[in-house]
Amino acid sequence: SHHHFTSALRMPACSLVSVIALAAAHVSYGGPRSALASHVQSSAMRRVVAPRAAPRVVMATSPGLVLAPTESGGVDDKAVGSVCVKRFISDEGESWKMWYSARGTDHDPDVLPIATGQICLATSDDGVHWSREGPVITENKDDWWWFDTAHVGIGDVQVMSSQAERTGGVAMYWAYFFGGDQDRQDEDGPKGASMSVGLAISSNGQNWGRVEGEHPCGSILRPGEKGEFDEAFVGWPQVIMHGNEDYRLFYHTITPEGKYVVAVAQSKDGVKFDKKGPVLEPGKPGSFDARGAGARHIIETPEGSPAKYLMFYEAVDEEGT
């Protein structure tokens, strides 16, 4: 029989936010803590055609605020969510790119109600004042059997300069994103709750093509089988280059028991991944993180540091706070 559970589905702090803020150390991936009541039941390249919008400059109107939902009628007039920001330095100066998840009020109301829908791009000269460039990856409207036909959200963007030799000297952007399809996991549940991870590549960070993964739905990572810890969904990927031909993809899931878990998958080429299991599980009963990590971001430390990586995470206690 199918297993059901109802819980507050806590997304990573970089995912379920209504505004994007700037912190003292360049960029904050976080936002207001929030929880979403959600009913979850267990259970080659294509051109992305995205409508272009005229750039709109967004000025900070309160301390720390750099990007907020637009006024009625925009592709992101309901919510802006997870972000990935890259800074580039050249002889001409610095430039910034921000890829962010967005949802408009006209998005299908039956889709899982989180801050995903389309992936948009904003650009900046200083990391503070941003110009919206419009959606760059939309929900998949061409391939009905794919995993991302209902909504998509950004997880991570890697600038793969090591791939330049393969691509005629052009450094490639690799976007690791996640999304859900039109299926409902049960009669009363939302569409797109069983999320998977996909890959798209670009030569300029703006025009993207999906890469067809090894799974029949086109994804590069999908939920586990019934009874496995990640049977509900896999989402919010972050990729770390651990070494030559060693890609580590960290992702977020929620177990059948309602615990929040961070897990990892490994790859030699950044496309085909093998799951290696959880890397951060809930703490002991009564501890500050008894229900697990509701948000996380991993950084590589400077050479000579005691640890190679640091993971910053939002702890969730037994009360869900």
Side-chain angles (χ1 to χ4, degrees), residues 9 11-18 32 34-36 80-82 113-115 236:
L9 180 56
M11 300 306 180
C14 62
S15 353
L16 190 57
V17 297
S18 58
S34 54
L36 172 67
V80 293
S82 54
I114 59 176
W236 291 270

Side-chain angles (χ1 to χ4, degrees), residues 80-91:
V80 293
S82 54
V83 301
C84 181
V85 177
K86 297 292 183 182
R87 182 188 183 210
F88 302 90
I89 302 294
S90 67
D91 294 338

Side-chain angles (χ1 to χ4, degrees), residues 229-247:
F229 75 95
D230 59 355
E231 63 176 288
F233 66 83
V234 295
W236 291 270
Q238 181 189 356
V239 173
I240 298 292
M241 300 293 295
H242 184 68
N244 188 35
E245 296 186 348
D246 189 352
Y247 300 73

Side-chain angles (χ1 to χ4, degrees), residues 48-70:
V48 177
V49 179
R52 295 303 314 282
R56 289 169 287 169
V57 177
V58 181
M59 303 295 291
T61 56
S62 62
L65 178 64
V66 295
L67 197 74
T70 57

Side-chain angles (χ1 to χ4, degrees), residues 204-248:
N204 59 12
Q206 192 158 5
N207 303 303
W208 294 87
R210 284 176 166 87
V211 175
E212 185 169 359
E214 64 175 324
H215 301 296
C217 62
S219 68
I220 62 171
L221 198 72
R222 65 180 179 182
E225 300 296 332
K226 180 173 172 55
E228 296 182 333
F229 75 95
D230 59 355
E231 63 176 288
F233 66 83
V234 295
W236 291 270
Q238 181 189 356
V239 173
I240 298 292
M241 300 293 295
H242 184 68
N244 188 35
E245 296 186 348
D246 189 352
Y247 300 73
R248 308 284 176 91

